[in-house]
Amino acid sequence: MRTRATTTAVTVCAALVMTACGGPAASDPGPGATAGSTGPATRFTGGEEARSGGVAVKIGRVWDADEIAMEGGTERAGGKGKIVALETVLRNDTKAGMGLTCSPPFTSTLVDDRGRRYEPLAGLYGVPGNPDCDDRLRPGRKDEMLFVYRVPESAEIAAWEFAESGRKPSVVDLSGMSVL
């Protein structure tokens, strides 16, 4: 009897190990995504809804300026630079609330036509209209968000890339959107 119980336990453990290694019951990576974080990026065009895991983003407008108002003052582009802003609407399709401005559950990068990558300005919660640092976007809800970047004046913006933690990046082609 002990042998049958041991054999059954070994068989169940082997089945669980096989499933965890990519067998038939592999976990669902989420809407619009594939498992893992390697491989080619998912591509979208400006103006359409882009997804990375449970984050859905639609870029409404892209514009540049010499400066932008922030809490406590004005952020200037400086010397041979410019500020580029993306007006977006984000929707949370995950099962938990997410912060958008302080330690967001996704990363974003602005990419120019030479492949140079730019991170958003620190303190996006200080941009008028953006969510506060401790605000949480609840599942199934959407909110407006202005992503702001400082880039060289010569940079020709080509794409915006974002990725939910552990997901393949999604790339939004901005070449068809005019920068105002």
Side-chain angles (χ1 to χ4, degrees), residues 46-143:
E48 76 174 315
E49 184 176 86
R51 302 183 70 70
S52 177
V55 178
V57 182
K58 184 173 182 178
I59 299 173
R61 191 169 78 114
V62 180
W63 50 270
D64 64 20
D66 294 330
E67 59 187 39
I68 188 164
M70 301 274 288
E71 251 181 39
T74 301
E75 188 75 31
R76 291 182 176 30
K80 299 186 184 244
K82 63 183 173 183
I83 299 287
V84 176
L86 281 71
E87 295 177 7
T88 67
V89 175
L90 286 96
R91 189 176 68 245
N92 179 358
D93 283 339
T94 69
K95 295 180 180 179
M98 65 173 64
L100 298 178
T101 55
C102 293
S103 302
F106 61 94
T107 58
S108 71
T109 308
L110 196 62
V111 183
D112 71 10
D113 62 342
R114 293 171 41 187
R116 298 180 294 186
R117 305 167 68 76
Y118 306 96
E119 301 298 320
L121 294 181
L124 289 178
Y125 55 86
V127 175
N130 274 359
D132 287 333
C133 193
D134 56 355
D135 284 351
R136 312 268 313 152
L137 182 60
R138 302 290 171 222
R141 307 284 314 251
K142 60 184 176 179
D143 201 355

Side-chain angles (χ1 to χ4, degrees), residues 7-69:
T7 303
T8 303
V10 169
T11 304
V12 169
C13 286
L16 289 172
V17 168
M18 294 292 286
T19 301
C21 293
S27 64
D28 178 17
T34 55
S37 59
T38 60
T42 304
R43 300 199 66 83
F44 298 92
T45 57
E48 76 174 315
E49 184 176 86
R51 302 183 70 70
S52 177
V55 178
V57 182
K58 184 173 182 178
I59 299 173
R61 191 169 78 114
V62 180
W63 50 270
D64 64 20
D66 294 330
E67 59 187 39
I68 188 164

